[in-house]
Amino acid sequence: MPRTLRSRLPRRRRALTGTLLASAVSVCLLAASAPPAALGLGDRLYPTLGNPGYDVTSYDLSLTYSGDNSKPLRAVTTIDARTTRDLDRINLDFTHGTVDSVQVDGLPADFVGAGEDLVVTPRIPLPEQSWVRVTVHHTSDPVSEKGRDGGWVRTADGLAMANQADAAHLVFPCNDHPSDKAMYTFHITAPEGYTAVANGLPAGVTRTGGSATWTYRTRHPMATELAQVSIGRSAVRRRTGPHGLPVRDVVPAADAKALEPWLARTPGQIAWMESKVGPYPFETYGLLMASATTGFELETQTLSLFEKELFTDPAWPQWYVESVMVHELSHQWFGDSVSPRSWSDLWLNEGHATWYEALYADETAHKSMDARMKAAYGASDGWRAAGGPPALPKPPKAGQKVGIFRANVYDGAALVLYALRQEIGKDAFERVERAWVHDHRDSTAATADFEHLASTVAGRDLSAFFQAWLYGEKTPPMPGHPDWKQAPPPAADKAGRTVKAATSARPAGAGAARG
């Protein structure tokens, strides 16, 4: 507990219990008379995610794994937060688990489920700008509900997490929106023979009675969607990256030797990214290679999640695998350190990660960036029709695994960055990129912030450029390439199935293999 929190809680409790004004009592009674209801921050794409009235400063997650990945984990989640208005109830995002008890500032609190919210009623109402600690004793179920992906991923030897975009609250109670970043501490207890890992740096392990408890702490704030806990029969491989950066990789123990050549590439990739945008933003990095079929890779903060098969299936060319590694690595700057303020800002994450994926393939494997962007340009109108313009993506459809992660926010958004570089020049574009990750490090940022920065660096108003490229139903003409045209819609075979045309330098069908 931070020293300020420890010192303020008793004083606030004494003041409130002794001197509540009659008017405050009447307001609280009126508010309490309304039935508990699910709330949300009103995000355009996920309106029920997140909750108003408080700002989380830290999470402390204690998870106990039995050794059977089909059984719920016992868990305790402790949330430290600061209220931003008077609260007589606290809404947390949480579902797919059983809540046993809740305490607010050490006192038992009433709780009830409402939609996918856990609604907590403390014994003492919470005034604006006060510190509060909420402790929830609960279970965390690793078996997915039918038609609902995300949260825990069951691997061949244990568990991992994949919370993007709206699934962290399937694992633990939280304020499940990227605009509310916080510090994390993890305590993971598992039977001997298992290795537990999580975001951040290790802070010790204790062994008692045939089990071990592993502790990890982050040194930088993190969005809930980026939390990672892996439990398995794993080997941990350590190496040193640029400037002494500790690099920690986690792989199935039986495959450690075979996977080592891939792992050895990471320090050089970090150095390459630093040459483009500046210093790596976190305390450590590494790859978590899971024996699981997910259909994607994921940029969980400091420890990116990959399917092991990406590295063992000979169908994937080496240059492509390396470019996917760089895609997830670049997310540590774009999406993790600088997080989206709303999910409509997703293009800033995925467009940049796709940009550096393509640039790496161009510079190291001679896979032409220009050719890839020309192909993307030809397909762009179709992507906009299917998924919306890059900064105005269509809402996810219920039960659709791809959600908002469509081509319009990957290569479609990278195409916007290519157009920006064409518009303002390579030198100005690179200054924008470095300033973006420097100015917004450990924070959140929105599309309007990027537009403002680019206009400032370019020395002219780029609002018309961004309006057309980010929000237009049709793709504008490409600066410097008046000959680039939209490609005709994909043909269909005799059975009526769409024939997928090759639209980039990536192997056919590779679009889903990135987070």
Side-chain angles (χ1 to χ4, degrees):
M1 177 188 292
R3 185 177 298 115
T4 53
L5 180 60
R6 188 184 297 115
S7 63
R8 292 185 186 191
L9 285 177
R11 184 172 62 207
R12 180 174 63 76
R13 187 178 293 124
R14 289 196 300 269
L16 284 169
T17 54
T19 58
L20 282 175
L21 298 175
S23 59
V25 172
S26 63
V27 169
C28 291
L29 289 174
L30 179 62
S33 66
L39 301 177
L41 294 177
D43 189 286
R44 189 181 68 85
L45 298 174
Y46 296 98
T48 62
L49 283 188
N51 294 284
Y54 62 92
D55 175 41
V56 178
T57 57
S58 69
Y59 293 92
D60 187 296
L61 275 64
S62 294
L63 299 163
T64 300
Y65 177 65
S66 67
D68 184 341
N69 67 3
S70 66
K71 293 183 177 179
L73 289 76
R74 289 185 291 112
V76 180
T77 298
T78 300
I79 300 171
D80 289 338
R82 190 168 182 85
T83 62
T84 57
R85 69 188 194 195
D86 293 346
L87 291 175
D88 65 306
R89 288 181 181 140
I90 305 167
N91 276 53
L92 301 173
D93 297 305
F94 184 58
T95 189
H96 201 51
T98 300
V99 177
D100 298 317
S101 65
V102 180
Q103 292 83 42
V104 176
D105 296 341
L107 299 177
D110 293 332
F111 60 91
V112 66
E116 294 195 353
D117 278 14
L118 173 65
V119 184
V120 177
T121 303
R123 290 189 177 183
I124 302 169
L126 307 171
E128 182 180 1
Q129 294 301 312
S130 62
W131 291 101
V132 60
R133 170 168 286 185
V134 181
T135 302
V136 184
H137 293 255
H138 62 98
T139 63
S140 186
D141 193 344
V143 180
S144 298
E145 294 178 346
K146 186 177 181 180
R148 182 71 181 267
D149 294 307
W152 287 115
V153 172
R154 293 198 289 167
T155 66
D157 59 349
L159 294 169
M161 277 188 197
N163 295 331
Q164 196 181 72
D166 60 337
H169 68 284
L170 302 183
V171 178
F172 61 98
C174 57
N175 202 28
D176 196 7
H177 193 271
S179 61
D180 192 1
K181 299 168 73 167
M183 306 295 281
Y184 282 73
T185 299
F186 301 89
H187 312 277
I188 310 132
T189 301
E192 288 286 1
Y194 287 88
T195 299
V197 295
N199 312 89
L201 292 172
V205 57
T206 58
R207 291 179 167 84
T208 55
S211 66
T213 299
W214 310 72
T215 298
Y216 295 85
R217 292 191 178 94
T218 66
R219 291 186 178 177
H220 297 264
M222 180 169 70
T224 51
E225 51 123 353
L226 302 173
Q228 181 58 267
V229 170
S230 171
I231 307 166
R233 300 189 184 278
S234 308
V236 179
R237 293 290 181 260
R238 303 185 188 279
R239 66 200 78 238
T240 302
H243 322 296
L245 178 74
V247 177
R248 175 264 321 257
D249 299 304
V250 183
V251 299
D255 302 300
K257 184 175 180 180
L259 293 170
E260 176 60 28
W262 291 109
L263 303 175
R265 291 173 167 83
T266 297
Q269 293 169 348
I270 296 172
W272 183 87
M273 275 298 302
E274 288 192 335
S275 74
K276 303 301 180 185
V277 296
Y280 178 74
F282 297 124
E283 63 271 28
T284 185
Y285 185 64
L287 277 59
L288 167 60
M289 296 185 180
S291 296
T293 301
T294 61
F296 56 81
E297 326 303 331
L298 187 62
E299 65 273 16
T300 41
Q301 189 163 309
T302 72
L303 186 64
S304 292
L305 173 66
F306 291 84
E307 291 180 302
K308 184 188 74 172
E309 185 182 7
L310 176 67
F311 303 93
T312 58
D313 186 343
W316 303 117
Q318 177 178 321
W319 70 264
Y320 171 69
V321 175
E322 289 197 49
S323 71
V324 174
M325 293 171 71
V326 169
H327 180 104
E328 305 307 334
L329 170 63
S330 64
H331 269 308
Q332 303 299 310
W333 286 264
F334 300 95
D336 293 10
S337 178
V338 185
S339 297
R341 194 162 296 151
S342 75
W343 279 110
S344 295
D345 301 313
L346 177 65
W347 79 274
L348 288 164
N349 300 15
E350 300 300 348
H352 277 103
T354 304
W355 173 264
Y356 289 103
E357 165 197 327
L359 187 61
Y360 186 83
D362 182 288
E363 293 188 1
T364 64
H366 309 295
K367 303 295 179 180
S368 170
M369 168 72 84
D370 288 345
R372 178 166 175 170
M373 291 299 103
K374 183 178 181 180
Y377 188 88
S380 178
D381 277 2
W383 293 340
R384 289 172 184 245
L392 197 65
K394 294 181 179 180
K397 294 181 180 179
Q400 187 182 62
K401 187 174 182 178
V402 70
I404 58 175
F405 297 90
R406 310 178 184 101
N408 59 322
V409 298
Y410 285 87
D411 281 65
L415 188 68
V416 176
L417 297 176
Y418 182 90
L420 177 62
R421 191 177 71 166
Q422 292 289 108
E423 178 74 16
I424 67 175
K426 182 173 181 289
D427 289 345
F429 176 80
E430 291 178 353
R431 291 199 302 273
V432 169
E433 296 291 274
R434 286 178 174 270
W436 178 252
V437 297
H438 175 272
D439 294 353
H440 299 287
R441 182 177 181 178
D442 285 340
S443 187
T444 65
T447 298
D449 298 315
F450 190 80
E451 295 178 16
H452 176 74
L453 174 63
S455 294
T456 300
V457 172
R460 57 190 173 92
D461 184 4
L462 294 172
S463 57
F465 169 89
F466 282 113
Q467 180 64 34
W469 277 95
L470 290 175
Y471 301 101
E473 293 184 6
K474 298 294 184 180
T475 311
M478 176 59 69
H481 293 288
D483 57 313
W484 285 13
K485 306 295 182 185
Q486 290 299 308
D493 64 14
K494 293 180 180 179
R497 295 184 297 265
T498 297
V499 178
K500 183 177 180 180
T503 60
S504 76
R506 290 176 286 121
R514 298 168 295 168

